[in-house]
């Protein structure tokens, strides 16, 4: 969840995600203490959460925040 929030809030990362439809794994790996393998395994989850965080779907955001706490 924290990595998805990092991607959604960093303009360069989110622009890369929307343009290339990929995560900038090398750049993210430098900023977080998570292995590359973990990032690749959770790639779909990170992308989905980053898009959701940046969206206007307030009810879905509230629902997921309650479930993840």
């Amino acid at each position: 969840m924290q990595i998805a929030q990092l991607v959604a809030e960093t303009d360069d990362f989110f622009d890369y995600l929307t343009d290339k439809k990929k995560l900038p794994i090398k750049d993210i790996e430098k900023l977080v203490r998570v292995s590359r393998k973990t990032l690749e395994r959770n790639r779909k989850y990170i992308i989905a959460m980053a898009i959701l965080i940046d969206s206007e779907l307030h009810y879905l955001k509230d629902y997921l925040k309650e479930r993840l706490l």
Side-chain angles (χ1 to χ4, degrees):
M1 185 68 177
Q2 294 171 346
I3 296 171
Q5 191 167 3
L6 172 73
V7 171
E9 292 175 353
T10 308
D11 291 334
D12 293 337
F13 292 165
F14 197 74
D15 290 341
Y16 185 89
L17 174 66
T18 54
D19 291 342
K20 308 242 183 200
K21 309 292 189 246
K22 297 179 184 177
L23 278 178
I25 291 183
K26 283 184 181 179
D27 298 331
I28 294 171
E29 190 178 19
K30 293 176 186 174
L31 296 176
V32 296
R33 302 190 84 192
V34 177
S35 70
R36 181 182 191 91
K37 193 171 188 178
T38 303
L39 288 173
E40 289 173 355
R41 283 183 183 161
N42 295 306
R43 178 181 50 85
K44 289 180 183 179
Y45 173 78
I46 294 169
I47 291 171
M49 291 304 293
I51 291 170
L52 180 66
I53 289 169
D54 194 60
S55 72
E56 298 293 324
L57 302 171
H58 302 293
Y59 294 117
L60 189 55
K61 285 183 196 179
D62 290 339
Y63 176 76
L64 289 176
K65 282 182 184 177
E66 291 176 11
R67 297 291 177 198
L68 294 174
L69 295 177

